[in-house]
Each structure stands twice: as structure tokens, then as C-alpha cells.
Amino acid sequence: MFARAERRTLDIAGALALGGVLAFVGVATAVLLAHAGSGAGAGAGAGAPLFDAYILRVARFTFLQAALSTLLSVALAIPVARALARQRAFLGRVWILRLSAVPLGLPALVAALGVIEIWGRQGVVNDLLRLAGLQNPVSVYGLTGILIAHVFFNLPLAVRFLVAALDRIPAEYWLSSANLGMGGVAVFRLIEWPVIRRVLPGIAGLVFMLCATSFTLVLTLGGGPAATTIEVAIYQALRFDFDPARAVLLAFLQIAVTALLLFVLSLFGRPQDEGVTAGRAIRRFDGRRRRVTDGLVILAFTLFTAAPLLATLVSGLAADFGRLALDPMLHRALLTSLAISLASASLSLAIALPVVLVPQLAESGAAGPARLIMAGALPAVGSLILLVPPVVVATGWFLMLRLFGETGRFAPAIVTVINALMALPFVVRVLGPAYRTHLARTARLALSLGITGPRRLMTIDWPALKKPFLTAFAFAMALSLGDLGAVAIFGAEGFVTLPWLLYSRMASYRTADAAGIALILGVLCLLLTLPSTAPERVPERPGPDA
């Protein structure tokens, strides 16, 4: 599959990727261990309990808000997904599914601003409730605001997964249910629920992990110490209290939480195919008598998802862009964000290539002991950032670099690497299947024709893999553009990105400027992500991997 020179190049690239990622994350972890052992910091007095009341309260709130967010997101997603799956002929169905992809590419801080516009003290919901005679009945800060924001992000994600699963049910099932005269309860119990039950644990586990590791939304909408998660507590311990010992303890607690969640997610295998099908076009006969109720459910989902987006757009367009265009701080933040996102996306792709290709090299039979070890370690390294979250890695590097002076000098390089690792799991999942399929089709023929190296890359690989490469690059850029976690740890006067500038303007109650910056940031990220998140047409004959 690979020429000798290509194998040697891949070995070198794999060793550099493996060593570089392990060294970067290992240094941060070693510094955290050193601080934990020394007990340095204001809050680490002799004989202090390992877990005081504050840490226990933070851990309890982290799990509580994640559990409630997951329950709400999944419980609401089931009726929405069933309605969308039933109404396959609905003209706006494809646009509803496209809309559900928007929160996936929207920076959390921009979404938080939209949630405040709708649910805040002066928001649309409270204005309507005041007209009904109630005074400020909804508070967007604290647990309520966190739940609303998490449901805004994760409800569309769960809906997309569930609709995809329901759309894979063979057409013969629906034909048989119509011939047997099944009612709605029987259809749900015998056909839909077995499919939903298979995918539901994985969806719930993913949503729970996203909510348990949430940083930006909780930082913006938490509203105080009573509504603080572990990652936000790490940030507060470093930036406000400067208590490294507490930050280190919280960092290891966060690692333990993510390790537990990843283990639980690994217990849920890949859903099996729904059944044998002759490939007939799917027709849902049960949708005719549910058009009104399904329409109301879809309308409610659309309003809930679209309202914060429209509010962000309207408030952003009302900003004084003439004044913002002359703001040197905005210029610096925009250039910094673009430079870091381009560098981090490029680095993420550079690391992902050996992570994807070295295991392929080992599977081809050209593998010695060293290559086999590297092929087994690289996929795990590609997902290492899921175990050690970006805020934790940033904490370790912050504690080390502060020994050398102002940490802001080193912030751009550290944030670039952290953002690259943050995007790495996604990049690998996009490039991996595409590269495996491409190599299976072309590798032996290219090798037999003597087309190797740069010539093979330009004439064979790039034309076939251009779309997944650009998709992975664009999503990696968008993730970096919208990230606040690592930047918040290193935030300094000389280092400002668009999310950090937006958060600063929101914190100083410069809402008009914040709305304009949010619109700029949101448009940039959506332009990068939306072309790759459009729903594909459901195939008439689901394959074994559908």
C-alpha cells in the first residue's frame, strides 16, 4: 500500500506526533502533580481536608446540571424526532434539519448572548409574561439559564441523531404496520421504541459529557458561586483567587469525571442495523392523522432553536459597526483569532494524518514491533484531549509558565496547540473513514504504477480527499475561533481574541458592542461549519454501515 520512502516518512511523522502530544499533555500533567504534591497555594493549609465543602458543592452542581440538561434534551428530542420522521413529505423538513445543525457550529458565547436576549430580564419571554401580568418570572442566570442554554445546544444534536436512526427503519416495517392497522401506541412500542432504545444511551452519554465539561455557558450564565462547575471553578481559582492548590485538585477531579464518562460511553456499542430491506422508498402511513400535532411540535422546536439566533442577528445588526470598525482592540482580536485558528487547524491536520495512516500501514503487513506499538498508541493519543480537557491542560501550562514571567507572552503558542488538540478527535473522525475507503480503492494500483510521494498526493489523493480535508480544516478553524476556555486561563492585556473581547464587553455591560462582536464571530463560524453539516439525503437502500 505504501512505498518504502512513504513508510519511512510516516514512521517519522508518527513518532513526532506521538512524542509531541504526549510531551505537551505530559508536561501539563506533571506540573499539576508537582503542585499537588507541594501543596502550594493560599488554600492548601496543613491538615486541610482534601475535599472541602466548596469542592463538594461544585462537584454536586456539575453532575446535577449535567443530569438535568441531559434529561430535558433527550426527553424533548424524542417527540420532535418522531414528528420529523413521520412527516417525511413536509416541505420544510430539510430546512428544519439544517436549522438543527446551526448550534453545532455556533460559539457558545454567541449562543449565550442570544439566550439572554430571549430569556433575560429584558428579553422577549419576560416581556410577554409581563403583558400577562407577571413580573420578571424567568431568571436567565443560575441553574435555569444554564439548563436553557444546554438544551438549546443539545436538543438539536439529539434530534439529528434520533431522526437519522428512525429514517433507517426499513420501509417494509411501515407497510406492515399499515396493513395490520397499528395505532400510534403500537407503532411506538413495536417499531420506534426498539430503535430509539438502542441509540438513546449513547446520545444521553454524549450530551451528559458535553454538559459536564461545559465552561463558557456556565461562566456566562452561572450567576455566582452557587452555580459553578468544575472547569469554571478552576478558572476562578487561578484568575481570581490565585489558589494553585485548589485549581490542581479541581483539575484532577475534572480528569476523573471525564475518564468515568468516557468509560461509560465505551460500554455502548455501535447500534446494529435495523433489519433487512428490499430498498423500497420509505412511506410513513401513520403521519397523515398526526399532521396537526406533529406540526405544533415541529413549530415549537423551530421557535426554541431559531429565536436566540434571530435575536443575536437583530441585536447585532443594531450595533454601531462604524464605530466598531475603527476599534483597534477589535482589529487586534480579529487578527489574533484568525491567526490562531489557521495555525491550530493546520497543526491539527498535520497531527491527524499520521494518527490515521500509521495504523493503516501496520494493517498492511509492513509492521515491526515498534510500528505496531506506535500504531496502537496513536489513536489513543488522538483522543487524549477528551480525557484531559483543554482547561486542565491550560492550567498546567499556566502554572509552569508563570515561573518565567508574564504568561501572556507564551499564550498564543500554547492556545494554538491546545486548540489543535481540541479539534483533533473531530479531524480524525472525518479523515479516518475517508482515507480508509480511498486507500482500499487506489493504494495497490498507485503502487503498481509507481505513483508515490508528492505525485501520488497531488494526482490521486487530493482530488478524492479534498472535501473531507476541507471539512475537517473548516471545523477545526471554527472550534478555535469560538473557544474561550484556554484563552480565559491565559487572558492578558496583550493577548485578546474575539471570544475574550466579547466576554469582556459583556462583563462591562457594553451590550451594543457585544452584540456586534457576537454577530461577527457567529457569522465567521457558521460560514466555516454550515456547508459541512447539511443533512444528506437518506439513501433508499441502507447499507450495512448506515
Side-chain angles (χ1 to χ4, degrees):
M1 296 180 69
F2 297 95
R4 180 176 298 177
E6 291 175 327
R7 292 198 296 266
R8 186 165 53 248
T9 301
L10 284 176
D11 285 337
I12 295 173
L16 290 175
L18 181 62
V21 174
L22 288 178
F24 186 80
V25 178
V27 166
T29 306
V31 171
L32 293 175
L33 285 170
H35 278 79
S38 64
L50 184 61
F51 293 103
D52 58 18
Y54 172 75
I55 292 179
L56 292 175
R57 185 171 69 248
V58 167
R60 185 167 56 249
F61 181 81
T62 300
F63 282 99
L64 173 64
Q65 61 85 21
L68 292 175
S69 298
T70 302
L71 179 62
L72 288 171
S73 299
V74 172
L76 294 174
I78 292 176
V80 175
R82 293 182 66 212
L84 286 170
R86 273 193 296 260
Q87 305 303 325
R88 295 178 59 84
F90 173 48
L91 293 178
R93 184 178 191 265
V94 65
W95 294 106
I96 300 297
L97 293 175
R98 286 177 183 268
L99 175 65
S100 68
V102 172
L104 303 178
L106 199 68
L109 200 56
V110 177
L113 189 62
V115 169
I116 293 173
E117 292 284 345
I118 297 297
W119 298 88
R121 181 179 293 274
Q122 303 300 324
V124 176
V125 172
N126 275 330
D127 286 345
L128 293 176
L129 292 176
R130 275 193 289 269
L131 289 176
L134 300 176
Q135 294 297 319
N136 297 330
V138 177
S139 174
V140 77
Y141 296 102
L143 179 59
T144 302
I146 293 171
L147 294 180
I148 292 173
H150 279 164
V151 173
F152 168 77
F153 268 103
N154 296 305
L155 173 60
L157 178 67
V159 166
R160 283 174 70 88
F161 282 135
L162 288 173
V163 169
L166 292 172
D167 281 346
R168 289 195 296 267
I169 297 176
E172 288 80 2
Y173 284 37
W174 305 117
L175 184 60
S176 298
S177 69
N179 289 334
L180 294 172
M182 286 187 182
V185 175
V187 166
F188 175 72
R189 184 171 61 89
L190 298 176
I191 300 179
E192 292 179 319
W193 176 244
V195 174
I196 294 173
R197 185 179 57 198
R198 282 197 293 269
V199 299
L200 201 58
I203 296 173
L206 176 62
V207 172
F208 188 93
M209 182 171 181
L210 292 173
C211 296
T213 57
S214 177
F215 174 78
T216 304
L217 292 176
V218 180
L219 179 66
T220 308
L221 301 174
T228 300
T229 57
I230 298 173
E231 289 200 3
V232 174
I234 294 172
Y235 165 76
Q236 293 172 342
L238 285 179
R239 302 303 299 181
F240 295 123
D241 304 329
F242 196 70
D243 189 348
R246 173 161 288 177
V248 168
L249 182 58
L250 289 164
F252 281 113
L253 180 59
Q254 183 66 23
I255 292 175
V257 169
T258 52
L260 176 62
L261 293 176
L262 288 173
F263 172 74
V264 172
L265 283 175
S266 69
L267 299 178
F268 303 113
R270 185 176 179 174
Q272 300 176 351
D273 192 16
E274 276 66 34
V276 179
T277 176
R280 298 182 180 184
I282 297 175
R283 294 181 62 192
R284 291 291 300 266
F285 303 95
D286 58 333
R288 298 172 183 172
R289 56 180 180 269
R290 300 292 300 273
R291 287 176 180 171
V292 175
T293 55
D294 285 347
L296 292 175
V297 170
I298 294 172
L299 177 62
F301 169 71
T302 304
L303 290 176
F304 178 79
T305 306
L309 304 176
L310 291 176
T312 302
L313 177 63
V314 171
S315 60
L317 291 175
D320 188 353
F321 282 101
R323 185 168 56 81
L324 280 177
L326 301 177
D327 188 348
M329 187 67 74
L330 178 60
H331 300 163
R332 184 193 308 173
L334 179 60
L335 291 176
T336 300
S337 291
L338 289 175
I340 288 178
S341 62
L342 283 168
S344 63
S346 302
L347 179 60
S348 190
L349 281 175
I351 298 172
L353 283 176
V355 170
V356 169
L357 291 178
V358 171
Q360 295 294 311
L361 181 60
E363 291 175 6
S364 67
R371 188 176 289 161
L372 285 174
I373 293 174
M374 187 162 60
L378 278 171
V381 165
S383 300
L384 187 60
I385 200 66
L386 299 177
L387 176 62
V388 188
V391 170
V392 175
V393 177
T395 300
W397 277 97
F398 176 85
L399 292 175
M400 189 188 77
L401 293 176
R402 71 185 180 92
L403 301 176
F404 299 94
E406 174 55 48
T407 58
R409 292 183 299 163
F410 308 98
I414 300 300
V415 171
T416 296
V417 179
I418 291 176
N419 286 350
L421 296 181
M422 180 178 63
L424 186 58
F426 170 81
V427 174
V428 169
R429 281 161 177 76
V430 171
L431 293 184
Y435 241 119
R436 282 193 293 271
T437 302
H438 174 68
L439 290 175
R441 292 172 177 172
T442 65
R444 294 187 184 280
L445 180 59
L447 190 59
S448 67
L449 295 174
I451 303 175
T452 61
R455 185 183 171 198
R456 171 178 167 174
L457 175 64
M458 296 305 298
T459 60
I460 298 178
D461 294 345
W462 177 247
L465 297 172
K466 178 170 62 176
K467 183 176 180 180
F469 262 96
L470 293 178
T471 297
F473 187 84
F475 234 101
M477 273 195 69
L479 286 174
S480 180
L481 275 173
D483 177 63
L484 181 65
V487 176
I489 298 295
F490 284 93
E493 288 297 328
F495 178 61
V496 180
T497 63
L498 280 178
W500 182 249
L501 180 63
L502 172 57
Y503 178 73
S504 301
R505 297 291 167 88
M506 290 175 65
S508 58
Y509 299 102
R510 297 171 65 177
T511 55
D513 286 356
I517 297 170
L519 182 59
I520 295 172
L521 180 59
V523 168
L524 285 174
C525 291
L526 290 178
L527 287 176
L528 288 168
T529 57
L530 277 186
S532 61
T533 54
E536 298 181 357
R537 188 177 67 89
V538 179
E540 300 298 345
R541 181 189 294 271
D545 294 330

